[in-house]
Amino acid sequence: MAWLAWLACGGFPLAGCVQSRVVHDGWAEFARGAAAGGADVRLGRDPDAVSDRLAARRAGQRAHRLRLAVFEGPDRMADGHEAALFARSAGGFGGVSLLDADGVAVVYAGRYADSADPAARRALKRARRLQGPANSGMAGRKPFAGARLVPLAGPLRGAAAAAPADPLDLRGHPGLFTLQVGFFDDAAEPDRRTAAERWANRLRRDEKVEAFYYHGPNRSLVTVGLFARSEFVQEGQQEGYPLAARELQKRFPHNLGNGHTLVERSASGEALGEQTSKLVKTP
Protein backbone atom coordinates (compact mmCIF):
# COMPACT_ATOMS: atom_id res chain seq x y z
CA MET A 1 0.00 0.00 0.00
CA ALA A 2 1.02 3.59 -0.58
CA TRP A 3 1.51 4.36 3.10
CA LEU A 4 3.58 1.20 3.62
CA ALA A 5 5.77 2.15 0.66
CA TRP A 6 6.21 5.60 2.20
CA LEU A 7 7.34 4.05 5.51
CA ALA A 8 9.70 1.74 3.64
CA CYS A 9 11.42 4.87 2.34
CA GLY A 10 12.10 5.91 5.93
CA GLY A 11 9.26 8.40 5.98
CA PHE A 12 10.91 10.62 3.37
CA PRO A 13 10.40 10.67 -0.39
CA LEU A 14 14.05 9.85 -1.25
CA ALA A 15 15.17 9.66 -4.86
CA GLY A 16 15.16 6.14 -6.25
CA CYS A 17 12.39 4.93 -3.92
CA VAL A 18 9.27 3.94 -5.91
CA GLN A 19 5.89 4.45 -4.28
CA SER A 20 3.02 2.15 -5.22
CA ARG A 21 -0.73 2.49 -4.80
CA VAL A 22 -2.91 -0.56 -4.32
CA VAL A 23 -6.64 -0.41 -5.01
CA HIS A 24 -8.56 -2.92 -2.88
CA ASP A 25 -11.81 -4.53 -3.94
CA GLY A 26 -13.19 -5.06 -0.49
CA TRP A 27 -12.68 -5.00 3.26
CA ALA A 28 -11.32 -8.55 3.38
CA GLU A 29 -8.53 -7.79 0.91
CA PHE A 30 -7.74 -4.58 2.73
CA ALA A 31 -7.51 -6.43 6.04
CA ARG A 32 -5.12 -9.01 4.62
CA GLY A 33 -2.87 -6.34 3.16
CA ALA A 34 -2.93 -4.25 6.32
CA ALA A 35 -2.26 -7.27 8.53
CA ALA A 36 0.73 -8.15 6.40
CA GLY A 37 2.12 -4.71 7.23
CA GLY A 38 1.55 -5.17 10.95
CA ALA A 39 -1.71 -3.26 11.22
CA ASP A 40 -4.54 -4.45 13.44
CA VAL A 41 -7.81 -4.37 11.47
CA ARG A 42 -11.04 -5.73 12.91
CA LEU A 43 -13.78 -6.62 10.50
CA GLY A 44 -17.48 -6.29 11.25
CA ARG A 45 -20.44 -7.62 9.37
CA ASP A 46 -21.36 -6.23 5.97
CA PRO A 47 -23.47 -3.15 6.76
CA ASP A 48 -25.95 -4.20 4.05
CA ALA A 49 -26.57 -7.50 5.83
CA VAL A 50 -26.73 -6.37 9.45
CA SER A 51 -30.37 -7.32 9.82
CA ASP A 52 -33.58 -7.81 7.97
CA ARG A 53 -34.86 -4.62 9.54
CA LEU A 54 -32.11 -2.55 7.96
CA ALA A 55 -32.39 -4.43 4.71
CA ALA A 56 -36.07 -3.56 4.51
CA ARG A 57 -35.12 0.12 4.65
CA ARG A 58 -32.97 0.01 1.54
CA ALA A 59 -33.99 2.32 -1.25
CA GLY A 60 -35.48 -0.45 -3.35
CA GLN A 61 -37.92 -1.39 -0.62
CA ARG A 62 -39.22 2.06 0.29
CA ALA A 63 -42.02 4.06 -1.23
CA HIS A 64 -40.92 5.67 -4.49
CA ARG A 65 -42.06 8.41 -6.85
CA LEU A 66 -41.10 9.46 -10.35
CA ARG A 67 -38.60 12.26 -10.76
CA LEU A 68 -39.67 13.37 -14.22
CA ALA A 69 -37.39 16.32 -14.92
CA VAL A 70 -34.92 18.71 -13.33
CA PHE A 71 -34.50 22.38 -14.31
CA GLU A 72 -31.91 25.00 -13.39
CA GLY A 73 -31.34 28.65 -14.22
CA PRO A 74 -33.53 31.77 -14.07
CA ASP A 75 -36.35 30.20 -16.12
CA ARG A 76 -36.45 26.96 -14.16
CA MET A 77 -39.89 27.56 -12.62
CA ALA A 78 -41.49 28.51 -15.92
CA ASP A 79 -39.93 25.47 -17.62
CA GLY A 80 -40.85 23.25 -14.70
CA HIS A 81 -44.41 24.52 -14.72
CA GLU A 82 -44.76 23.73 -18.43
CA ALA A 83 -43.42 20.23 -17.83
CA ALA A 84 -45.73 19.70 -14.84
CA LEU A 85 -48.81 20.72 -16.81
CA PHE A 86 -47.77 18.41 -19.64
CA ALA A 87 -47.26 15.54 -17.18
CA ARG A 88 -50.79 15.99 -15.80
CA SER A 89 -52.60 16.59 -19.09
CA ALA A 90 -50.97 14.61 -21.92
CA GLY A 91 -49.02 12.30 -19.62
CA GLY A 92 -51.98 11.55 -17.40
CA PHE A 93 -49.80 11.31 -14.29
CA GLY A 94 -51.30 11.84 -10.84
CA GLY A 95 -49.70 13.45 -7.82
CA VAL A 96 -47.68 15.88 -9.93
CA SER A 97 -45.74 18.48 -7.96
CA LEU A 98 -43.13 21.10 -8.78
CA LEU A 99 -40.59 21.77 -6.03
CA ASP A 100 -37.96 24.50 -6.03
CA ALA A 101 -35.03 24.30 -3.64
CA ASP A 102 -31.46 25.59 -3.76
CA GLY A 103 -31.82 26.90 -7.31
CA VAL A 104 -33.14 23.64 -8.75
CA ALA A 105 -36.74 22.97 -9.79
CA VAL A 106 -37.84 19.32 -9.87
CA VAL A 107 -41.03 17.81 -11.28
CA TYR A 108 -42.26 14.72 -9.42
CA ALA A 109 -45.23 12.46 -10.03
CA GLY A 110 -46.96 9.43 -8.54
CA ARG A 111 -46.30 7.32 -5.48
CA TYR A 112 -45.49 3.61 -5.54
CA ALA A 113 -44.89 0.90 -2.95
CA ASP A 114 -41.28 0.41 -4.05
CA SER A 115 -39.04 0.53 -7.12
CA ALA A 116 -40.08 -2.98 -8.14
CA ASP A 117 -43.79 -2.10 -8.24
CA PRO A 118 -45.05 -3.12 -11.73
CA ALA A 119 -47.12 0.08 -11.92
CA ALA A 120 -44.00 2.11 -11.18
CA ARG A 121 -42.03 0.37 -13.93
CA ARG A 122 -44.83 0.94 -16.43
CA ALA A 123 -45.11 4.61 -15.47
CA LEU A 124 -41.35 5.06 -15.82
CA LYS A 125 -41.33 3.50 -19.28
CA ARG A 126 -44.28 5.62 -20.38
CA ALA A 127 -42.69 8.82 -19.05
CA ARG A 128 -39.46 8.24 -20.95
CA ARG A 129 -41.32 7.70 -24.22
CA LEU A 130 -43.55 10.80 -24.06
CA GLN A 131 -43.08 13.28 -26.90
CA GLY A 132 -43.40 16.99 -26.18
CA PRO A 133 -46.39 18.80 -27.74
CA ALA A 134 -45.78 20.59 -31.04
CA ASN A 135 -46.84 24.03 -29.74
CA SER A 136 -44.49 24.13 -26.76
CA GLY A 137 -40.86 24.51 -25.84
CA MET A 138 -40.72 20.73 -25.52
CA ALA A 139 -41.58 20.13 -29.18
CA GLY A 140 -39.46 17.57 -30.99
CA ARG A 141 -37.98 15.99 -27.88
CA LYS A 142 -38.76 13.71 -24.99
CA PRO A 143 -38.87 15.97 -21.92
CA PHE A 144 -38.90 13.05 -19.47
CA ALA A 145 -36.30 10.86 -21.18
CA GLY A 146 -34.15 11.11 -18.04
CA ALA A 147 -36.96 10.17 -15.65
CA ARG A 148 -36.01 8.02 -12.66
CA LEU A 149 -37.70 6.30 -9.77
CA VAL A 150 -36.41 7.84 -6.55
CA PRO A 151 -37.16 6.85 -2.96
CA LEU A 152 -39.29 9.06 -0.79
CA ALA A 153 -37.14 10.38 2.02
CA GLY A 154 -38.00 10.25 5.69
CA PRO A 155 -39.44 13.31 7.44
CA LEU A 156 -39.45 16.09 4.86
CA ARG A 157 -37.89 19.45 5.55
CA GLY A 158 -37.80 22.84 3.88
CA ALA A 159 -39.49 23.23 0.51
CA ALA A 160 -40.41 19.56 0.34
CA ALA A 161 -42.24 19.75 3.64
CA ALA A 162 -44.28 22.74 2.49
CA ALA A 163 -45.15 21.27 -0.89
CA PRO A 164 -48.89 20.56 -1.18
CA ALA A 165 -50.18 17.12 -2.05
CA ASP A 166 -53.06 18.53 -4.14
CA PRO A 167 -51.94 19.81 -7.59
CA LEU A 168 -54.82 22.32 -7.46
CA ASP A 169 -53.20 24.03 -4.48
CA LEU A 170 -51.58 27.21 -5.77
CA ARG A 171 -48.70 26.82 -3.30
CA GLY A 172 -47.25 24.18 -5.59
CA HIS A 173 -46.50 26.81 -8.25
CA PRO A 174 -44.37 29.54 -6.65
CA GLY A 175 -42.87 32.46 -8.55
CA LEU A 176 -45.53 32.68 -11.27
CA PHE A 177 -48.66 34.72 -11.99
CA THR A 178 -52.30 33.60 -12.13
CA LEU A 179 -55.66 35.18 -12.92
CA GLN A 180 -57.81 35.65 -9.80
CA VAL A 181 -61.45 35.04 -10.71
CA GLY A 182 -63.01 34.91 -7.26
CA PHE A 183 -62.70 34.51 -3.53
CA PHE A 184 -64.65 33.09 -0.62
CA ASP A 185 -64.72 34.39 2.93
CA ASP A 186 -66.34 33.26 6.16
CA ALA A 187 -69.82 33.98 4.74
CA ALA A 188 -69.41 31.17 2.19
CA GLU A 189 -71.31 27.91 2.49
CA PRO A 190 -70.53 25.33 3.75
CA ASP A 191 -67.17 27.02 4.45
CA ARG A 192 -64.73 29.07 2.40
CA ARG A 193 -62.15 26.31 1.94
CA THR A 194 -64.63 23.73 0.68
CA ALA A 195 -66.33 26.29 -1.57
CA ALA A 196 -63.04 27.33 -3.19
CA GLU A 197 -61.87 23.76 -3.75
CA ARG A 198 -65.19 22.72 -5.26
CA TRP A 199 -65.26 25.66 -7.64
CA ALA A 200 -61.67 25.04 -8.76
CA ASN A 201 -62.57 21.42 -9.47
CA ARG A 202 -65.72 22.44 -11.38
CA LEU A 203 -63.75 24.90 -13.50
CA ARG A 204 -61.34 22.15 -14.46
CA ARG A 205 -64.08 19.65 -15.20
CA ASP A 206 -66.62 21.90 -16.94
CA GLU A 207 -64.58 24.76 -18.37
CA LYS A 208 -61.45 22.71 -19.18
CA VAL A 209 -59.08 25.27 -17.69
CA GLU A 210 -56.19 24.95 -15.25
CA ALA A 211 -57.86 26.19 -12.07
CA PHE A 212 -56.34 26.52 -8.60
CA TYR A 213 -57.23 27.54 -5.09
CA TYR A 214 -55.28 29.19 -2.31
CA HIS A 215 -56.29 29.33 1.35
CA GLY A 216 -55.15 32.56 2.96
CA PRO A 217 -55.68 33.57 6.58
CA ASN A 218 -59.06 35.25 5.88
CA ARG A 219 -60.05 34.33 2.33
CA SER A 220 -59.75 31.42 -0.07
CA LEU A 221 -58.92 32.48 -3.61
CA VAL A 222 -59.75 30.76 -6.91
CA THR A 223 -57.57 31.43 -9.94
CA VAL A 224 -57.09 30.17 -13.48
CA GLY A 225 -53.97 29.83 -15.61
CA LEU A 226 -50.30 30.17 -14.77
CA PHE A 227 -47.95 32.63 -16.43
CA ALA A 228 -44.25 33.40 -16.21
CA ARG A 229 -42.81 36.90 -16.08
CA SER A 230 -41.28 36.32 -19.53
CA GLU A 231 -44.79 36.03 -21.03
CA PHE A 232 -45.72 39.65 -20.24
CA VAL A 233 -45.75 41.99 -23.25
CA GLN A 234 -44.28 45.46 -23.46
CA GLU A 235 -46.80 48.21 -24.21
CA GLY A 236 -44.96 51.50 -24.45
CA GLN A 237 -43.44 52.15 -21.05
CA GLN A 238 -45.59 49.56 -19.29
CA GLU A 239 -45.95 45.81 -19.13
CA GLY A 240 -49.19 44.32 -20.40
CA TYR A 241 -50.84 41.03 -19.48
CA PRO A 242 -49.73 37.93 -21.41
CA LEU A 243 -51.91 37.26 -24.45
CA ALA A 244 -53.13 33.97 -22.99
CA ALA A 245 -54.15 35.78 -19.79
CA ARG A 246 -56.20 38.26 -21.82
CA GLU A 247 -58.00 35.40 -23.52
CA LEU A 248 -58.84 33.96 -20.11
CA GLN A 249 -60.10 37.36 -18.98
CA LYS A 250 -62.60 37.32 -21.84
CA ARG A 251 -63.97 34.02 -20.50
CA PHE A 252 -63.76 35.04 -16.83
CA PRO A 253 -64.12 38.84 -16.75
CA HIS A 254 -65.10 39.19 -13.07
CA ASN A 255 -63.54 38.65 -9.68
CA LEU A 256 -66.52 37.13 -7.86
CA GLY A 257 -67.08 37.32 -4.14
CA ASN A 258 -68.75 34.20 -2.72
CA GLY A 259 -70.06 33.50 -6.22
CA HIS A 260 -71.56 36.98 -6.75
CA THR A 261 -70.49 39.89 -8.95
CA LEU A 262 -69.00 42.73 -6.93
CA VAL A 263 -69.49 46.44 -7.65
CA GLU A 264 -66.56 48.72 -6.88
CA ARG A 265 -67.43 52.12 -5.43
CA SER A 266 -65.55 55.34 -4.86
CA ALA A 267 -65.02 56.90 -1.44
CA SER A 268 -68.23 58.88 -1.97
CA GLY A 269 -70.19 55.72 -2.76
CA GLU A 270 -70.38 56.21 -6.51
CA ALA A 271 -70.51 52.96 -8.47
CA LEU A 272 -67.38 52.56 -10.54
CA GLY A 273 -68.22 49.29 -12.23
CA GLU A 274 -68.02 45.58 -11.63
CA GLN A 275 -64.84 44.20 -10.12
CA THR A 276 -62.76 42.54 -12.83
CA SER A 277 -60.50 39.51 -12.71
CA LYS A 278 -56.82 40.37 -12.25
CA LEU A 279 -53.38 38.81 -12.32
CA VAL A 280 -51.85 38.09 -8.94
CA LYS A 281 -48.50 36.60 -8.02
CA THR A 282 -48.52 33.04 -6.74
CA PRO A 283 -47.43 32.49 -3.13
Side-chain angles (χ1 to χ4, degrees), residues 231-235 238-243 246 279:
E231 296 178 72
F232 283 69
V233 296
Q234 197 68 30
E235 297 179 339
Q238 297 181 329
E239 275 189 330
Y241 280 8
L243 297 180
R246 296 180 189 183
L279 281 184

Side-chain angles (χ1 to χ4, degrees), residues 64-71 87 93 106-109 112 120-130 142-150:
H64 275 59
R65 60 182 171 178
L66 282 172
R67 187 179 68 196
L68 293 175
V70 178
F71 301 92
F93 290 101
V106 186
V107 180
Y108 293 103
Y112 308 95
R121 308 308 300 182
R122 289 194 298 269
L124 178 62
K125 184 180 295 186
R126 180 161 54 89
R128 289 175 172 174
R129 290 178 176 175
L130 277 176
K142 298 178 180 179
F144 307 141
R148 292 183 58 190
L149 282 166
V150 296

Side-chain angles (χ1 to χ4, degrees), residues 21-106:
R21 182 176 182 86
V22 179
V23 178
H24 296 286
D25 292 330
W27 278 103
E29 183 182 349
F30 170 77
R32 287 193 297 270
D40 180 19
V41 178
R42 300 181 183 276
L43 295 180
R45 288 175 292 174
D46 181 350
D48 287 338
V50 168
S51 69
D52 291 340
R53 179 180 59 83
L54 290 178
R57 292 172 56 189
R58 294 178 193 167
Q61 299 176 11
R62 294 207 307 266
H64 275 59
R65 60 182 171 178
L66 282 172
R67 187 179 68 196
L68 293 175
V70 178
F71 301 92
E72 297 182 79
D75 296 326
R76 64 184 183 278
M77 290 307 296
D79 294 339
H81 158 251
E82 185 178 17
L85 293 184
F86 175 60
R88 284 203 299 270
S89 56
F93 290 101
V96 176
S97 61
L98 174 62
L99 304 184
D100 185 43
D102 300 323
V104 179
V106 186

